[in-house]
Amino acid sequence: MAKIIDGKKISAEIKEELKVKVKEYKEKGIDITLAVIQVGNDPASSVYVNNKKKACEFIGIRSLAYELDENISEKELLDIIEELNNREDVNGILVQLPLPEHINEDKVIEAISPLKDVDGFHPMSVGALSIGKKGFVSCTPAGIIELLKRSDIDIAGKECVVIGRSNIVGKPMAMLLLRENGTVTVAHSRTKDLMEVAKRADILVVAIGKPKFINADYVKEGAVVIDVGIHRNENNKLCGDVDYDSVVDKVSAITPVPGGVGPMTIAMLMSNCVSSVGLVKE
Ligand code: NAP
């Protein structure tokens, strides 16, 4: 029987732990503030932003909401970020992506101070991760490492295959698995014989962005499968990049969708906010 990795439960544990830490900081007179910037009112972005604000409230982090008009110029947005970079009372800055087309996302990401880059997208944060230095780590892959560790799944020495090489999931995921001493292969759309590569994996992380793409034929008996994908199926129900029903009897552990990787992303964002304390004044 496969172990179902319960991301909802693990993320709730992490949030409880963070709540205690935040309370301890408050008792020492230290407040934590996250600035959340949303440009325009894309409904999906609004849902994510609201969930982040709710998580802040639960943990005791102050959130500053910047709801900006979708026609705001790139310069005006960069000025707001600069002002937030300089504010000593702001620990973290988050710009909800995607941004409208007239704004260069890379420029915006690079404008955020690496000391406040709680999303872990700044090139300095990415560079620090690749050379094993301290820095913020992209929340979804960081959450996956927590899921594995808190489920007592060893990474060291394991064959780890990551399918997908995006900057926010696949690449940082590969770096983190490497940091944990996994033997890491990254597969992508140009990989020859994906099935053969995926089947080598003791730990298979799937971040393809295609509903139910990975079925039992891609999975080794007894593998651990982490499904990063989130989609709505034909019945408007959530599903992942993995065909859960097809693989569940073949694997030793698996994350469901919903309730697997998804809840961990916000928990790790909150964790990054808490660990940002002190960085600004250093
Ligand atoms: P992305 O930027 O679209 O990247 C997808 C990756 O999959 C690319 O590297 C692409 O290869 C690769 N790929 C596409 N088709 C493939 C194929 N047939 N065979 C092998 N590789 C293939 O996606 P992402 O941002 O990493 O997100 C992936 C999924 O995770 C999406 O469903 C997204 O919604 C979800 N997601 C969930 C969370 C969460 O909190 N749970 C967070 C972020 C993302 P190329 O590079 O060669 O094009």
Side-chain angles (χ1 to χ4, degrees), residues 48 140 163-170 187-191 194 206-211 213 227-231 240-241 260-266:
Y48 289 129
T140 302
I163 312 182
R165 57 174 166 180
S166 68
N167 288 341
I168 60 166
V169 187
H188 45 79
S189 67
R190 307 285 287 273
T191 297
L194 182 65
V206 187
I208 296 187
K210 296 201 163 124
F213 187 92
D227 188 354
V228 186
I230 315 176
H231 313 275
D241 287 348
V261 173
M264 294 300 290
T265 302
I266 288 189

PDB file of all heavy atoms in Angstrom, residues 48 140 163-170 187-191 194 206-211 213 227-231 240-241 260-266, ligand 1:
ATOM      1  N   TYR A  48      -4.686  33.425  -5.130  1.00  0.00           N
ATOM      2  CA  TYR A  48      -3.366  33.156  -4.526  1.00  0.00           C
ATOM      3  C   TYR A  48      -3.001  34.236  -3.503  1.00  0.00           C
ATOM      4  O   TYR A  48      -2.555  33.939  -2.401  1.00  0.00           O
ATOM      5  CB  TYR A  48      -2.269  33.096  -5.603  1.00  0.00           C
ATOM      6  CG  TYR A  48      -2.345  31.872  -6.489  1.00  0.00           C
ATOM      7  CD1 TYR A  48      -2.332  31.972  -7.874  1.00  0.00           C
ATOM      8  CD2 TYR A  48      -2.405  30.594  -5.933  1.00  0.00           C
ATOM      9  CE1 TYR A  48      -2.392  30.837  -8.689  1.00  0.00           C
ATOM     10  CE2 TYR A  48      -2.462  29.458  -6.746  1.00  0.00           C
ATOM     11  CZ  TYR A  48      -2.453  29.595  -8.117  1.00  0.00           C
ATOM     12  OH  TYR A  48      -2.514  28.481  -8.914  1.00  0.00           O
ATOM     13  N   THR A 140       7.977  26.286  -3.789  1.00  0.00           N
ATOM     14  CA  THR A 140       7.430  24.960  -4.131  1.00  0.00           C
ATOM     15  C   THR A 140       8.490  23.861  -3.992  1.00  0.00           C
ATOM     16  O   THR A 140       8.253  22.870  -3.286  1.00  0.00           O
ATOM     17  CB  THR A 140       6.803  24.990  -5.540  1.00  0.00           C
ATOM     18  OG1 THR A 140       5.789  26.006  -5.548  1.00  0.00           O
ATOM     19  CG2 THR A 140       6.186  23.663  -5.911  1.00  0.00           C
ATOM     20  N   ILE A 163      11.130  15.919 -13.739  1.00  0.00           N
ATOM     21  CA  ILE A 163      10.643  16.173 -15.106  1.00  0.00           C
ATOM     22  C   ILE A 163      10.130  17.608 -15.151  1.00  0.00           C
ATOM     23  O   ILE A 163       9.169  17.953 -14.449  1.00  0.00           O
ATOM     24  CB  ILE A 163       9.542  15.181 -15.532  1.00  0.00           C
ATOM     25  CG1 ILE A 163       9.953  13.739 -15.230  1.00  0.00           C
ATOM     26  CG2 ILE A 163       9.243  15.359 -17.026  1.00  0.00           C
ATOM     27  CD1 ILE A 163       8.923  12.707 -15.679  1.00  0.00           C
ATOM     28  N   GLY A 164      10.792  18.439 -15.939  1.00  0.00           N
ATOM     29  CA  GLY A 164      10.487  19.876 -16.012  1.00  0.00           C
ATOM     30  C   GLY A 164      11.716  20.651 -15.579  1.00  0.00           C
ATOM     31  O   GLY A 164      12.422  20.243 -14.649  1.00  0.00           O
ATOM     32  N   ARG A 165      11.991  21.757 -16.267  1.00  0.00           N
ATOM     33  CA  ARG A 165      13.197  22.551 -15.950  1.00  0.00           C
ATOM     34  C   ARG A 165      12.869  24.033 -15.851  1.00  0.00           C
ATOM     35  O   ARG A 165      13.644  24.888 -16.280  1.00  0.00           O
ATOM     36  CB  ARG A 165      14.277  22.308 -17.001  1.00  0.00           C
ATOM     37  CG  ARG A 165      13.816  22.619 -18.406  1.00  0.00           C
ATOM     38  CD  ARG A 165      14.940  22.524 -19.411  1.00  0.00           C
ATOM     39  NE  ARG A 165      14.410  22.489 -20.767  1.00  0.00           N
ATOM     40  CZ  ARG A 165      15.159  22.414 -21.852  1.00  0.00           C
ATOM     41  NH1 ARG A 165      16.456  22.353 -21.747  1.00  0.00           N
ATOM     42  NH2 ARG A 165      14.607  22.384 -23.047  1.00  0.00           N
ATOM     43  N   SER A 166      11.665  24.353 -15.325  1.00  0.00           N
ATOM     44  CA  SER A 166      11.325  25.774 -15.184  1.00  0.00           C
ATOM     45  C   SER A 166      12.192  26.400 -14.093  1.00  0.00           C
ATOM     46  O   SER A 166      12.737  25.699 -13.235  1.00  0.00           O
ATOM     47  CB  SER A 166       9.845  25.936 -14.816  1.00  0.00           C
ATOM     48  OG  SER A 166       9.612  25.453 -13.511  1.00  0.00           O
ATOM     49  N   ASN A 167      12.275  27.743 -14.155  1.00  0.00           N
ATOM     50  CA  ASN A 167      13.108  28.447 -13.170  1.00  0.00           C
ATOM     51  C   ASN A 167      12.511  28.381 -11.775  1.00  0.00           C
ATOM     52  O   ASN A 167      13.227  28.474 -10.788  1.00  0.00           O
ATOM     53  CB  ASN A 167      13.273  29.920 -13.576  1.00  0.00           C
ATOM     54  CG  ASN A 167      14.175  30.055 -14.778  1.00  0.00           C
ATOM     55  OD1 ASN A 167      14.947  29.146 -15.099  1.00  0.00           O
ATOM     56  ND2 ASN A 167      14.071  31.180 -15.466  1.00  0.00           N
ATOM     57  N   ILE A 168      11.173  28.246 -11.686  1.00  0.00           N
ATOM     58  CA  ILE A 168      10.578  28.291 -10.340  1.00  0.00           C
ATOM     59  C   ILE A 168      10.393  26.908  -9.723  1.00  0.00           C
ATOM     60  O   ILE A 168      10.256  26.786  -8.518  1.00  0.00           O
ATOM     61  CB  ILE A 168       9.244  29.090 -10.302  1.00  0.00           C
ATOM     62  CG1 ILE A 168       8.200  28.487 -11.224  1.00  0.00           C
ATOM     63  CG2 ILE A 168       9.471  30.540 -10.639  1.00  0.00           C
ATOM     64  CD1 ILE A 168       6.806  29.042 -10.938  1.00  0.00           C
ATOM     65  N   VAL A 169      10.349  25.864 -10.547  1.00  0.00           N
ATOM     66  CA  VAL A 169      10.168  24.516  -9.978  1.00  0.00           C
ATOM     67  C   VAL A 169      11.330  23.585 -10.352  1.00  0.00           C
ATOM     68  O   VAL A 169      12.125  23.185  -9.497  1.00  0.00           O
ATOM     69  CB  VAL A 169       8.821  23.872 -10.394  1.00  0.00           C
ATOM     70  CG1 VAL A 169       8.634  22.548  -9.634  1.00  0.00           C
ATOM     71  CG2 VAL A 169       7.628  24.773 -10.133  1.00  0.00           C
ATOM     72  N   GLY A 170      11.410  23.200 -11.621  1.00  0.00           N
ATOM     73  CA  GLY A 170      12.336  22.134 -12.026  1.00  0.00           C
ATOM     74  C   GLY A 170      13.793  22.386 -11.647  1.00  0.00           C
ATOM     75  O   GLY A 170      14.430  21.545 -11.004  1.00  0.00           O
ATOM     76  N   ALA A 187      14.820  15.981 -16.676  1.00  0.00           N
ATOM     77  CA  ALA A 187      14.247  15.681 -17.991  1.00  0.00           C
ATOM     78  C   ALA A 187      13.366  16.848 -18.440  1.00  0.00           C
ATOM     79  O   ALA A 187      12.877  17.625 -17.617  1.00  0.00           O
ATOM     80  CB  ALA A 187      13.423  14.403 -17.910  1.00  0.00           C
ATOM     81  N   HIS A 188      13.182  16.970 -19.743  1.00  0.00           N
ATOM     82  CA  HIS A 188      12.396  18.084 -20.294  1.00  0.00           C
ATOM     83  C   HIS A 188      11.817  17.669 -21.635  1.00  0.00           C
ATOM     84  O   HIS A 188      11.909  16.486 -22.007  1.00  0.00           O
ATOM     85  CB  HIS A 188      13.279  19.330 -20.408  1.00  0.00           C
ATOM     86  CG  HIS A 188      14.623  19.047 -20.988  1.00  0.00           C
ATOM     87  ND1 HIS A 188      14.818  18.884 -22.332  1.00  0.00           N
ATOM     88  CD2 HIS A 188      15.814  18.805 -20.396  1.00  0.00           C
ATOM     89  CE1 HIS A 188      16.086  18.599 -22.549  1.00  0.00           C
ATOM     90  NE2 HIS A 188      16.707  18.535 -21.387  1.00  0.00           N
ATOM     91  N   SER A 189      11.270  18.647 -22.364  1.00  0.00           N
ATOM     92  CA  SER A 189      10.532  18.271 -23.583  1.00  0.00           C
ATOM     93  C   SER A 189      11.441  17.701 -24.671  1.00  0.00           C
ATOM     94  O   SER A 189      10.971  17.069 -25.604  1.00  0.00           O
ATOM     95  CB  SER A 189       9.756  19.474 -24.125  1.00  0.00           C
ATOM     96  OG  SER A 189      10.649  20.451 -24.588  1.00  0.00           O
ATOM     97  N   ARG A 190      12.755  17.928 -24.574  1.00  0.00           N
ATOM     98  CA  ARG A 190      13.678  17.403 -25.588  1.00  0.00           C
ATOM     99  C   ARG A 190      14.354  16.100 -25.141  1.00  0.00           C
ATOM    100  O   ARG A 190      15.225  15.597 -25.829  1.00  0.00           O
ATOM    101  CB  ARG A 190      14.751  18.456 -25.924  1.00  0.00           C
ATOM    102  CG  ARG A 190      14.176  19.814 -26.318  1.00  0.00           C
ATOM    103  CD  ARG A 190      13.598  19.805 -27.719  1.00  0.00           C
ATOM    104  NE  ARG A 190      14.648  19.766 -28.715  1.00  0.00           N
ATOM    105  CZ  ARG A 190      15.257  20.826 -29.217  1.00  0.00           C
ATOM    106  NH1 ARG A 190      14.913  22.029 -28.801  1.00  0.00           N
ATOM    107  NH2 ARG A 190      16.192  20.709 -30.131  1.00  0.00           N
ATOM    108  N   THR A 191      13.974  15.606 -23.981  1.00  0.00           N
ATOM    109  CA  THR A 191      14.565  14.364 -23.483  1.00  0.00           C
ATOM    110  C   THR A 191      14.150  13.201 -24.373  1.00  0.00           C
ATOM    111  O   THR A 191      12.966  13.064 -24.707  1.00  0.00           O
ATOM    112  CB  THR A 191      14.095  14.100 -22.023  1.00  0.00           C
ATOM    113  OG1 THR A 191      14.591  15.157 -21.218  1.00  0.00           O
ATOM    114  CG2 THR A 191      14.578  12.764 -21.494  1.00  0.00           C
ATOM    115  N   LEU A 194      11.676   9.526 -22.514  1.00  0.00           N
ATOM    116  CA  LEU A 194      11.314   9.993 -21.172  1.00  0.00           C
ATOM    117  C   LEU A 194      10.922   8.828 -20.256  1.00  0.00           C
ATOM    118  O   LEU A 194      11.248   8.808 -19.072  1.00  0.00           O
ATOM    119  CB  LEU A 194      10.161  10.997 -21.280  1.00  0.00           C
ATOM    120  CG  LEU A 194       9.692  11.605 -19.959  1.00  0.00           C
ATOM    121  CD1 LEU A 194      10.772  12.468 -19.323  1.00  0.00           C
ATOM    122  CD2 LEU A 194       8.426  12.441 -20.162  1.00  0.00           C
ATOM    123  N   VAL A 206       7.445  15.405 -10.692  1.00  0.00           N
ATOM    124  CA  VAL A 206       6.843  15.695 -11.988  1.00  0.00           C
ATOM    125  C   VAL A 206       6.295  17.130 -12.010  1.00  0.00           C
ATOM    126  O   VAL A 206       5.371  17.461 -11.266  1.00  0.00           O
ATOM    127  CB  VAL A 206       5.712  14.689 -12.308  1.00  0.00           C
ATOM    128  CG1 VAL A 206       5.229  14.897 -13.735  1.00  0.00           C
ATOM    129  CG2 VAL A 206       6.166  13.252 -12.098  1.00  0.00           C
ATOM    130  N   ALA A 207       6.904  17.972 -12.840  1.00  0.00           N
ATOM    131  CA  ALA A 207       6.447  19.373 -12.992  1.00  0.00           C
ATOM    132  C   ALA A 207       6.426  19.697 -14.479  1.00  0.00           C
ATOM    133  O   ALA A 207       7.233  20.478 -14.987  1.00  0.00           O
ATOM    134  CB  ALA A 207       7.374  20.319 -12.234  1.00  0.00           C
ATOM    135  N   ILE A 208       5.492  19.072 -15.178  1.00  0.00           N
ATOM    136  CA  ILE A 208       5.403  19.189 -16.638  1.00  0.00           C
ATOM    137  C   ILE A 208       4.350  20.219 -17.046  1.00  0.00           C
ATOM    138  O   ILE A 208       4.465  20.883 -18.065  1.00  0.00           O
ATOM    139  CB  ILE A 208       4.986  17.829 -17.265  1.00  0.00           C
ATOM    140  CG1 ILE A 208       6.043  16.744 -17.018  1.00  0.00           C
ATOM    141  CG2 ILE A 208       4.741  17.971 -18.740  1.00  0.00           C
ATOM    142  CD1 ILE A 208       5.742  15.453 -17.762  1.00  0.00           C
ATOM    143  N   GLY A 209       3.291  20.315 -16.257  1.00  0.00           N
ATOM    144  CA  GLY A 209       2.192  21.208 -16.623  1.00  0.00           C
ATOM    145  C   GLY A 209       1.239  20.580 -17.628  1.00  0.00           C
ATOM    146  O   GLY A 209       0.600  21.290 -18.407  1.00  0.00           O
ATOM    147  N   LYS A 210       1.133  19.217 -17.614  1.00  0.00           N
ATOM    148  CA  LYS A 210       0.198  18.522 -18.515  1.00  0.00           C
ATOM    149  C   LYS A 210      -0.614  17.503 -17.701  1.00  0.00           C
ATOM    150  O   LYS A 210      -0.027  16.603 -17.091  1.00  0.00           O
ATOM    151  CB  LYS A 210       0.970  17.789 -19.622  1.00  0.00           C
ATOM    152  CG  LYS A 210       1.729  18.733 -20.518  1.00  0.00           C
ATOM    153  CD  LYS A 210       2.054  18.118 -21.858  1.00  0.00           C
ATOM    154  CE  LYS A 210       2.433  19.211 -22.839  1.00  0.00           C
ATOM    155  NZ  LYS A 210       3.733  19.045 -23.452  1.00  0.00           N
ATOM    156  N   PRO A 211      -1.932  17.670 -17.702  1.00  0.00           N
ATOM    157  CA  PRO A 211      -2.750  16.834 -16.814  1.00  0.00           C
ATOM    158  C   PRO A 211      -2.582  15.334 -17.053  1.00  0.00           C
ATOM    159  O   PRO A 211      -2.620  14.881 -18.203  1.00  0.00           O
ATOM    160  CB  PRO A 211      -4.193  17.282 -17.096  1.00  0.00           C
ATOM    161  CG  PRO A 211      -4.137  18.199 -18.261  1.00  0.00           C
ATOM    162  CD  PRO A 211      -2.730  18.634 -18.465  1.00  0.00           C
ATOM    163  N   PHE A 213      -0.265  13.255 -17.255  1.00  0.00           N
ATOM    164  CA  PHE A 213       0.671  12.840 -18.299  1.00  0.00           C
ATOM    165  C   PHE A 213       1.421  11.560 -17.908  1.00  0.00           C
ATOM    166  O   PHE A 213       1.687  10.698 -18.725  1.00  0.00           O
ATOM    167  CB  PHE A 213       1.654  13.991 -18.554  1.00  0.00           C
ATOM    168  CG  PHE A 213       2.580  13.786 -19.707  1.00  0.00           C
ATOM    169  CD1 PHE A 213       2.243  14.246 -20.971  1.00  0.00           C
ATOM    170  CD2 PHE A 213       3.796  13.136 -19.547  1.00  0.00           C
ATOM    171  CE1 PHE A 213       3.101  14.074 -22.051  1.00  0.00           C
ATOM    172  CE2 PHE A 213       4.665  12.953 -20.611  1.00  0.00           C
ATOM    173  CZ  PHE A 213       4.316  13.416 -21.874  1.00  0.00           C
ATOM    174  N   ASP A 227       3.967  14.945  -7.235  1.00  0.00           N
ATOM    175  CA  ASP A 227       3.218  15.546  -8.346  1.00  0.00           C
ATOM    176  C   ASP A 227       3.039  17.044  -8.100  1.00  0.00           C
ATOM    177  O   ASP A 227       2.316  17.454  -7.194  1.00  0.00           O
ATOM    178  CB  ASP A 227       1.842  14.849  -8.423  1.00  0.00           C
ATOM    179  CG  ASP A 227       1.051  15.248  -9.646  1.00  0.00           C
ATOM    180  OD1 ASP A 227       1.496  16.147 -10.385  1.00  0.00           O
ATOM    181  OD2 ASP A 227      -0.025  14.652  -9.865  1.00  0.00           O
ATOM    182  N   VAL A 228       3.711  17.858  -8.918  1.00  0.00           N
ATOM    183  CA  VAL A 228       3.649  19.314  -8.720  1.00  0.00           C
ATOM    184  C   VAL A 228       2.480  19.935  -9.496  1.00  0.00           C
ATOM    185  O   VAL A 228       1.977  21.002  -9.138  1.00  0.00           O
ATOM    186  CB  VAL A 228       4.986  19.978  -9.151  1.00  0.00           C
ATOM    187  CG1 VAL A 228       4.995  21.452  -8.812  1.00  0.00           C
ATOM    188  CG2 VAL A 228       6.175  19.291  -8.487  1.00  0.00           C
ATOM    189  N   GLY A 229       2.021  19.282 -10.529  1.00  0.00           N
ATOM    190  CA  GLY A 229       1.004  19.863 -11.420  1.00  0.00           C
ATOM    191  C   GLY A 229      -0.317  20.183 -10.723  1.00  0.00           C
ATOM    192  O   GLY A 229      -0.694  19.520  -9.759  1.00  0.00           O
ATOM    193  N   ILE A 230      -0.974  21.215 -11.218  1.00  0.00           N
ATOM    194  CA  ILE A 230      -2.343  21.514 -10.759  1.00  0.00           C
ATOM    195  C   ILE A 230      -3.169  21.861 -11.995  1.00  0.00           C
ATOM    196  O   ILE A 230      -2.812  22.783 -12.739  1.00  0.00           O
ATOM    197  CB  ILE A 230      -2.444  22.756  -9.842  1.00  0.00           C
ATOM    198  CG1 ILE A 230      -1.351  22.774  -8.781  1.00  0.00           C
ATOM    199  CG2 ILE A 230      -3.820  22.847  -9.198  1.00  0.00           C
ATOM    200  CD1 ILE A 230      -1.372  24.042  -7.941  1.00  0.00           C
ATOM    201  N   HIS A 231      -4.233  21.130 -12.203  1.00  0.00           N
ATOM    202  CA  HIS A 231      -5.123  21.385 -13.343  1.00  0.00           C
ATOM    203  C   HIS A 231      -6.561  21.134 -12.914  1.00  0.00           C
ATOM    204  O   HIS A 231      -6.804  20.444 -11.934  1.00  0.00           O
ATOM    205  CB  HIS A 231      -4.814  20.421 -14.499  1.00  0.00           C
ATOM    206  CG  HIS A 231      -3.371  20.304 -14.800  1.00  0.00           C
ATOM    207  ND1 HIS A 231      -2.730  21.182 -15.622  1.00  0.00           N
ATOM    208  CD2 HIS A 231      -2.431  19.414 -14.367  1.00  0.00           C
ATOM    209  CE1 HIS A 231      -1.446  20.844 -15.698  1.00  0.00           C
ATOM    210  NE2 HIS A 231      -1.241  19.785 -14.940  1.00  0.00           N
ATOM    211  N   GLY A 240      -3.475  16.368 -11.090  1.00  0.00           N
ATOM    212  CA  GLY A 240      -2.067  16.729 -11.235  1.00  0.00           C
ATOM    213  C   GLY A 240      -1.501  16.350 -12.591  1.00  0.00           C
ATOM    214  O   GLY A 240      -2.237  16.020 -13.536  1.00  0.00           O
ATOM    215  N   ASP A 241      -0.166  16.362 -12.676  1.00  0.00           N
ATOM    216  CA  ASP A 241       0.531  15.923 -13.889  1.00  0.00           C
ATOM    217  C   ASP A 241       0.623  14.400 -13.933  1.00  0.00           C
ATOM    218  O   ASP A 241       0.997  13.814 -14.946  1.00  0.00           O
ATOM    219  CB  ASP A 241       1.972  16.473 -13.899  1.00  0.00           C
ATOM    220  CG  ASP A 241       2.023  17.973 -14.192  1.00  0.00           C
ATOM    221  OD1 ASP A 241       1.004  18.541 -14.610  1.00  0.00           O
ATOM    222  OD2 ASP A 241       3.105  18.565 -13.984  1.00  0.00           O
ATOM    223  N   GLY A 260      -1.368  17.768  -1.690  1.00  0.00           N
ATOM    224  CA  GLY A 260       0.021  17.286  -1.646  1.00  0.00           C
ATOM    225  C   GLY A 260       0.983  18.453  -1.609  1.00  0.00           C
ATOM    226  O   GLY A 260       1.177  19.093  -0.574  1.00  0.00           O
ATOM    227  N   VAL A 261       1.545  18.758  -2.788  1.00  0.00           N
ATOM    228  CA  VAL A 261       2.551  19.832  -2.897  1.00  0.00           C
ATOM    229  C   VAL A 261       1.907  21.215  -2.690  1.00  0.00           C
ATOM    230  O   VAL A 261       2.501  22.092  -2.052  1.00  0.00           O
ATOM    231  CB  VAL A 261       3.251  19.767  -4.278  1.00  0.00           C
ATOM    232  CG1 VAL A 261       4.167  20.964  -4.486  1.00  0.00           C
ATOM    233  CG2 VAL A 261       4.017  18.459  -4.421  1.00  0.00           C
ATOM    234  N   GLY A 262       0.712  21.404  -3.217  1.00  0.00           N
ATOM    235  CA  GLY A 262       0.055  22.725  -3.231  1.00  0.00           C
ATOM    236  C   GLY A 262       0.120  23.456  -1.891  1.00  0.00           C
ATOM    237  O   GLY A 262       0.645  24.580  -1.829  1.00  0.00           O
ATOM    238  N   PRO A 263      -0.380  22.856  -0.804  1.00  0.00           N
ATOM    239  CA  PRO A 263      -0.399  23.586   0.473  1.00  0.00           C
ATOM    240  C   PRO A 263       0.985  23.935   1.012  1.00  0.00           C
ATOM    241  O   PRO A 263       1.133  24.837   1.829  1.00  0.00           O
ATOM    242  CB  PRO A 263      -1.085  22.599   1.440  1.00  0.00           C
ATOM    243  CG  PRO A 263      -1.708  21.556   0.592  1.00  0.00           C
ATOM    244  CD  PRO A 263      -0.993  21.527  -0.713  1.00  0.00           C
ATOM    245  N   MET A 264       2.015  23.212   0.526  1.00  0.00           N
ATOM    246  CA  MET A 264       3.370  23.452   1.041  1.00  0.00           C
ATOM    247  C   MET A 264       3.948  24.773   0.550  1.00  0.00           C
ATOM    248  O   MET A 264       4.797  25.373   1.200  1.00  0.00           O
ATOM    249  CB  MET A 264       4.306  22.321   0.606  1.00  0.00           C
ATOM    250  CG  MET A 264       3.966  20.995   1.222  1.00  0.00           C
ATOM    251  SD  MET A 264       4.040  21.040   3.012  1.00  0.00           S
ATOM    252  CE  MET A 264       5.799  21.199   3.286  1.00  0.00           C
ATOM    253  N   THR A 265       3.501  25.215  -0.633  1.00  0.00           N
ATOM    254  CA  THR A 265       4.099  26.413  -1.224  1.00  0.00           C
ATOM    255  C   THR A 265       3.900  27.623  -0.303  1.00  0.00           C
ATOM    256  O   THR A 265       4.840  28.365  -0.020  1.00  0.00           O
ATOM    257  CB  THR A 265       3.510  26.642  -2.633  1.00  0.00           C
ATOM    258  OG1 THR A 265       3.791  25.473  -3.399  1.00  0.00           O
ATOM    259  CG2 THR A 265       4.117  27.834  -3.325  1.00  0.00           C
ATOM    260  N   ILE A 266       2.677  27.796   0.186  1.00  0.00           N
ATOM    261  CA  ILE A 266       2.411  28.953   1.051  1.00  0.00           C
ATOM    262  C   ILE A 266       3.113  28.780   2.403  1.00  0.00           C
ATOM    263  O   ILE A 266       3.661  29.737   2.956  1.00  0.00           O
ATOM    264  CB  ILE A 266       0.889  29.181   1.217  1.00  0.00           C
ATOM    265  CG1 ILE A 266       0.333  29.716  -0.102  1.00  0.00           C
ATOM    266  CG2 ILE A 266       0.610  30.142   2.362  1.00  0.00           C
ATOM    267  CD1 ILE A 266      -1.089  30.189  -0.056  1.00  0.00           C
TER     268      ILE A 266
HETATM  269  P1  NAP B   1       6.446  25.231 -17.051  1.00  0.00           P
HETATM  270  O1  NAP B   1       7.204  26.498 -16.832  1.00  0.00           O
HETATM  271  O2  NAP B   1       5.391  25.168 -18.092  1.00  0.00           O
HETATM  272  O3  NAP B   1       7.532  24.073 -17.345  1.00  0.00           O
HETATM  273  C1  NAP B   1       7.142  22.820 -17.768  1.00  0.00           C
HETATM  274  C2  NAP B   1       8.362  21.982 -17.990  1.00  0.00           C
HETATM  275  O4  NAP B   1       7.939  20.686 -18.421  1.00  0.00           O
HETATM  276  C3  NAP B   1       9.314  22.519 -19.060  1.00  0.00           C
HETATM  277  O5  NAP B   1      10.643  22.464 -18.603  1.00  0.00           O
HETATM  278  C4  NAP B   1       9.081  21.611 -20.251  1.00  0.00           C
HETATM  279  O6  NAP B   1      10.240  21.353 -21.022  1.00  0.00           O
HETATM  280  C5  NAP B   1       8.668  20.323 -19.581  1.00  0.00           C
HETATM  281  N1  NAP B   1       7.812  19.522 -20.455  1.00  0.00           N
HETATM  282  C6  NAP B   1       6.707  19.923 -21.122  1.00  0.00           C
HETATM  283  N2  NAP B   1       6.212  18.900 -21.859  1.00  0.00           N
HETATM  284  C7  NAP B   1       7.042  17.852 -21.661  1.00  0.00           C
HETATM  285  C8  NAP B   1       7.068  16.539 -22.154  1.00  0.00           C
HETATM  286  N3  NAP B   1       6.141  16.088 -23.032  1.00  0.00           N
HETATM  287  N4  NAP B   1       8.051  15.725 -21.748  1.00  0.00           N
HETATM  288  C9  NAP B   1       8.997  16.154 -20.887  1.00  0.00           C
HETATM  289  N5  NAP B   1       9.023  17.409 -20.366  1.00  0.00           N
HETATM  290  C10 NAP B   1       8.048  18.248 -20.771  1.00  0.00           C
HETATM  291  O7  NAP B   1       5.758  24.740 -15.698  1.00  0.00           O
HETATM  292  P2  NAP B   1       6.073  25.002 -14.148  1.00  0.00           P
HETATM  293  O8  NAP B   1       5.879  26.443 -13.836  1.00  0.00           O
HETATM  294  O9  NAP B   1       7.350  24.341 -13.763  1.00  0.00           O
HETATM  295  O10 NAP B   1       4.851  24.198 -13.525  1.00  0.00           O
HETATM  296  C11 NAP B   1       4.620  22.830 -13.753  1.00  0.00           C
HETATM  297  C12 NAP B   1       3.291  22.433 -13.158  1.00  0.00           C
HETATM  298  O11 NAP B   1       3.337  22.655 -11.762  1.00  0.00           O
HETATM  299  C13 NAP B   1       2.085  23.214 -13.662  1.00  0.00           C
HETATM  300  O12 NAP B   1       0.967  22.367 -13.700  1.00  0.00           O
HETATM  301  C14 NAP B   1       1.881  24.278 -12.601  1.00  0.00           C
HETATM  302  O13 NAP B   1       0.538  24.717 -12.516  1.00  0.00           O
HETATM  303  C15 NAP B   1       2.270  23.522 -11.367  1.00  0.00           C
HETATM  304  N6  NAP B   1       2.758  24.340 -10.257  1.00  0.00           N
HETATM  305  C16 NAP B   1       2.274  24.051  -9.030  1.00  0.00           C
HETATM  306  C17 NAP B   1       2.740  24.750  -7.934  1.00  0.00           C
HETATM  307  C18 NAP B   1       2.221  24.409  -6.566  1.00  0.00           C
HETATM  308  O14 NAP B   1       2.285  25.203  -5.661  1.00  0.00           O
HETATM  309  N7  NAP B   1       1.728  23.191  -6.383  1.00  0.00           N
HETATM  310  C19 NAP B   1       3.694  25.761  -8.079  1.00  0.00           C
HETATM  311  C20 NAP B   1       4.197  26.009  -9.360  1.00  0.00           C
HETATM  312  C21 NAP B   1       3.734  25.287 -10.438  1.00  0.00           C
HETATM  313  P3  NAP B   1      11.000  22.506 -21.897  1.00  0.00           P
HETATM  314  O15 NAP B   1      11.772  23.316 -20.906  1.00  0.00           O
HETATM  315  O16 NAP B   1      11.865  21.734 -22.809  1.00  0.00           O
HETATM  316  O17 NAP B   1       9.923  23.286 -22.583  1.00  0.00           O
END
